[in-house]
Amino acid sequence: LFSGPAKSRAFERALQPGPVEEMPIRAVLRQRRTPVEVLCAQTDGADVTTPIAAAWKAVETARDRLAGRRIADLFAADPARFETLSARLDDMLFDYSKTGLDKGAVEALTGLARAAGVEALRDAMFAGAPINATEGRAVLHPALRAAAGEAFSAEGEDVMPEVLETRERSLAFAEAVRTGAYASVSGKPFTDVVNIGIGGSDLGPVMAAAALAPVHDGPRCHFVSNVDGAHVHDVLAGLDPATTLVLIASKTFTTIETMTNAHTARAWMERAIGDRAGAHFAALSTALDEVAKFGIDESRVFGFWDWVGGRYSVWSSIGLSLMIAIGRQRFEDFLAGARAMDAHFREAPLSANLPVLLALVGVWHRGALGLPSRAVIPYDQRLLRLPAYLQQLDMESNGKTARLREGLAGETGPVVWGEPGTNGQHAFFQLLHQGTTVIPVEFLVAANGWEPELAHHHTLLLANCLAQSEALMAGRTEAEAYEMMIADGKPEAEARRLAPHRAFAGDRPSTTLMYRRLDPFTLGRIVALYEHRVFVEGAIWGVNSFDQWGVELGKTLAKALEPMVTGETSAEGKDGSTAGLIAALHALREG
Ligand code: F6P
């Protein structure tokens, strides 16, 4: 970032402790400037005397101080390490003691969060300021789970009356479908619901419906997202259109995958029940004019607002399939869980704030240690879609290069991936333990399962979860591997030959999020926890976590390529690979 005399002058000043600059939110709102713009103004053209660069330097200093210290040694040196490096919200426990952090490093990271204006930006989000600076929008998904009486306004306009009214309409419709008060055209209750959507209009409901299967007592729910005709074909093939309700979920109502699937489903329905098909459709969208073109009756159109990002929309009418699956009370519990996390995020000091701590661990691994990926491993089969959900939440939010503000250079969002344990243990855990790349792991686990008669399964699940984080940290030296084989009666030469293959470096970081049971309230807390974690990381990295311009180009190109695939237009002018692939396609395509 800096060179020559500016660099040394800047670093000298950066290293001096100084007051953290405050950004009074009222002043920000009065100026009608986003906190990000204010930050830009504060740091534009500045050198490393800006608080964020000084704070980052402190993080790097902590990293250098801890280099070479093994996590296991940090435990040996500090008997209170678990208490120091863990935090709770009621029954929910976040343990980050099995990372290479110590108290000093956490303090440096907390200073970084302060210097990055995380608290001010958080307050600006909750105050409805247009913190989505590239699209000029407020970011108010917390309003979607707010209780009556709470105040939320987007750029000064009270959003709660509409939020509460739409929530009530959606829940009432869900109840009507569940009880049969809103029935199919034959008069029979709906047995099946198909949600057609993609990205944020799919992943939230599909993840949550699987997670909450034990309390699912409404009609069966199915999800179609991929434009691959195989998806809609296979889902509809098992259903009776006469008792199927189709929800078209799309914020924009123009997404090509969703609209293509919607038209296919509509034709399928019309073949069965003719011009009464419309009664088996509902729409979840902000684009009411587009919905009208599709011809869904207003009474079954459930809106939301442009201050809700797609990946933050499960709490809105986009959650209708979930409402139908689990019913009003449990959906309200889901919202209440998220609300509890919102309150914690707003009120708890940074040093005890779960989303902030999760983010600080993330920034440490990605920014300070340069680790490119993070694995999310729920030891919970019903959270099987959580990694996919988090991929969108995290990578679409923070997978960015452009910054809103100078100051914190380096890497931004990591690759997020995962699968439930224990399945992952028999697939990719080999690499986590012995691969050449260190991948921090985030474990999630409930103390209790839902099947008391299968408690021994849950005991094994828990033991495996704990064993993996222990093994990642402890590892096994070559000498230990050798001794183990000698004790097992292996010949000495054989033990010597095999020892390097059976040794684990260990010292691989992981965190564990533990909670009593995966019920609607806790799922709400988990999802909001990750939403706010992504927010805090984005604020520290200085990216806008709320746009997704990176997905646009591919969409535009796909539109132009469609007639080339059909052969209506030529591929002339395309790059050699694309033109070659199109020619090969034409040779292979049948019909
Ligand atoms: O392609 C990305 C994206 O815009 C996501 O952000 C969004 O969740 C998804 O597409 C679906 O968009 P829509 O709800 O407008 O159909």
Side-chain angles (χ1 to χ4, degrees):
L1 270 179
F2 305 95
S3 59
K7 181 176 179 183
S8 43
R9 205 178 51 245
F11 276 141
E12 244 166 59
R13 275 187 280 162
L15 284 171
Q16 286 168 16
V20 168
E21 287 186 22
E22 293 289 325
M23 192 188 327
I25 186 62
R26 274 201 197 83
V28 171
L29 290 174
R30 252 200 318 273
Q31 293 171 46
R32 311 275 308 153
R33 293 163 77 198
T34 68
V36 169
E37 283 166 342
V38 173
L39 274 175
C40 290
Q42 284 174 353
T43 58
D44 263 355
D47 59 21
V48 286
T49 53
T50 56
I52 191 157
W56 180 244
K57 185 70 199 155
V59 172
E60 289 183 322
T61 305
R63 177 199 59 199
D64 297 345
R65 174 176 57 76
L66 285 163
R69 301 272 321 260
R70 288 179 66 86
I71 303 167
D73 295 341
L74 295 171
F75 271 103
D78 178 9
R81 182 172 167 81
F82 175 74
E83 274 67 40
T84 311
L85 298 186
S86 62
R88 288 169 197 271
L89 172 57
D90 303 325
D91 61 297
M92 185 173 268
L93 166 75
F94 177 55
D95 171 27
Y96 59 106
S97 59
K98 288 198 190 92
T99 65
L101 288 162
D102 69 357
K103 198 162 176 270
V106 176
E107 280 164 5
L109 285 160
T110 310
L112 176 69
R114 279 207 188 87
V118 164
E119 289 152 301
L121 203 59
R122 173 198 63 196
D123 294 347
M125 173 171 74
F126 281 93
I131 64 164
N132 176 352
T134 59
E135 295 178 312
R137 288 179 187 164
V139 173
L140 264 187
H141 48 276
L144 298 170
R145 55 239 189 177
E150 284 185 73
F152 277 95
S153 49
E155 297 189 65
E157 199 173 306
D158 185 2
V159 299
M160 286 313 290
E162 273 197 44
V163 165
L164 293 172
E165 194 217 294
T166 309
R167 187 191 300 165
E168 182 48 40
R169 275 188 64 231
S170 309
L171 285 167
F173 181 69
E175 286 307 304
V177 172
R178 284 163 60 83
T179 58
Y182 185 76
S184 66
V185 292
S186 67
K188 288 190 194 148
F190 288 109
T191 55
D192 296 89
V193 173
V194 178
N195 185 84
I196 297 182
I198 196 164
S201 299
D202 167 70
L203 286 164
V206 82
M207 176 277 292
L212 300 179
V215 295
H216 184 155
D217 56 3
R220 292 177 289 266
C221 282
H222 313 266
F223 297 87
V224 173
S225 52
N226 202 326
V227 76
D228 183 345
H231 202 177
V232 68
H233 173 272
D234 290 357
V235 169
L236 297 186
L239 301 178
D240 178 1
T243 54
T244 297
L245 177 71
V246 180
L247 312 178
I248 314 293
S250 174
K251 184 176 169 184
T252 55
F253 230 71
T254 53
T255 304
I256 191 76
E257 292 93 332
T258 300
M259 296 326 295
T260 306
N261 283 322
H263 285 287
T264 300
R266 176 101 185 202
W268 170 77
M269 191 66 79
E270 279 168 1
R271 280 198 295 278
I273 59 171
D275 57 9
R276 294 174 305 162
H280 284 210
F281 279 79
L284 327 171
S285 183
T286 58
L288 305 185
D289 44 343
E290 294 291 337
V291 175
K293 284 187 219 158
F294 191 82
I296 296 177
D297 190 83
E298 261 180 26
S299 61
R300 289 186 309 285
V301 179
F302 303 92
F304 55 112
W305 304 272
D306 72 355
W307 41 260
V308 184
R311 52 196 175 273
Y312 301 88
S313 65
V314 63
W315 323 100
S316 71
S317 56
I318 288 291
L320 187 61
S321 52
L322 184 64
M323 297 177 206
I324 294 173
I326 64 176
R328 174 189 286 271
Q329 185 53 54
R330 291 169 187 138
F331 191 83
E332 280 176 354
D333 291 347
F334 175 59
L335 299 186
R339 195 156 65 234
M341 188 56 72
D342 290 343
H344 170 78
F345 180 47
R346 291 174 87 168
E347 289 155 19
L350 297 189
S351 57
N353 193 308
L354 263 60
V356 172
L357 291 170
L358 212 63
L360 297 184
V361 173
V363 168
W364 174 257
H365 288 146
R366 184 70 185 117
L369 304 184
L371 305 177
S373 132
R374 70 169 62 123
V376 180
I377 313 293
Y379 271 67
D380 190 325
Q381 182 57 27
R382 294 191 178 108
L383 285 178
L384 82 166
R385 297 306 305 275
L386 183 71
Y389 175 80
L390 293 180
Q391 279 178 330
Q392 188 202 15
L393 178 65
D394 201 321
M395 293 163 80
E396 197 164 82
S397 297
N398 288 342
K400 316 241 162 99
T401 304
R403 314 287 170 127
L404 286 171
R405 143 176 62 66
E406 300 283 342
L408 185 54
E411 306 289 354
T412 60
V415 175
V416 179
W417 60 281
E419 273 288 314
T422 60
N423 291 9
Q425 289 175 210
H426 300 272
F428 52 81
F429 267 62
Q430 164 63 37
L431 185 148
L432 296 183
H433 287 292
Q434 287 190 312
T436 50
T437 304
V438 173
I439 298 176
V441 182
E442 299 182 357
F443 294 102
L444 293 97
V445 70
N448 304 284
W450 279 94
E451 294 76 23
E453 72 286 7
L454 300 176
H456 60 295
H457 283 251
H458 206 75
T459 303
L460 277 173
L461 184 76
L462 284 164
N464 272 277
C465 181
L466 297 174
Q468 289 304 320
S469 69
E470 188 184 347
L472 283 165
M473 175 178 73
R476 180 192 287 147
T477 63
E478 263 187 62
E480 285 166 347
Y482 174 84
E483 290 304 336
M484 188 187 75
M485 285 183 279
I486 294 295
D488 280 353
K490 276 246 180 322
E492 211 187 305
E494 184 72 345
R496 201 168 305 119
R497 186 176 70 82
L498 290 178
H501 298 273
R502 300 189 68 170
F504 297 61
D507 205 36
R508 302 211 160 184
S510 70
T511 61
T512 301
L513 186 73
M514 189 180 280
Y515 35 86
R516 195 187 313 276
R517 176 174 278 112
L518 185 67
D519 54 21
F521 184 82
T522 289
L523 183 70
R525 288 188 296 178
I526 292 173
V527 176
L529 168 67
Y530 273 94
E531 283 180 353
H532 295 321
R533 181 263 188 100
V534 164
F535 171 88
V536 173
E537 289 187 348
I540 290 174
W541 286 321
V543 299
N544 178 11
S545 301
F546 301 102
D547 62 15
Q548 57 282 321
W549 302 103
V551 299
E552 294 304 321
L553 179 59
K555 289 185 191 173
T556 313
L557 292 178
K559 235 183 227 163
L561 276 160
E562 198 187 333
M564 297 180 201
V565 170
T566 57
E568 282 164 68
T569 59
S570 112
E572 210 185 310
K574 282 283 168 195
D575 63 87
S577 163
T578 309
L581 288 168
I582 290 172
L585 252 183
H586 288 159
L588 288 172
R589 272 199 107 179
E590 294 157 5

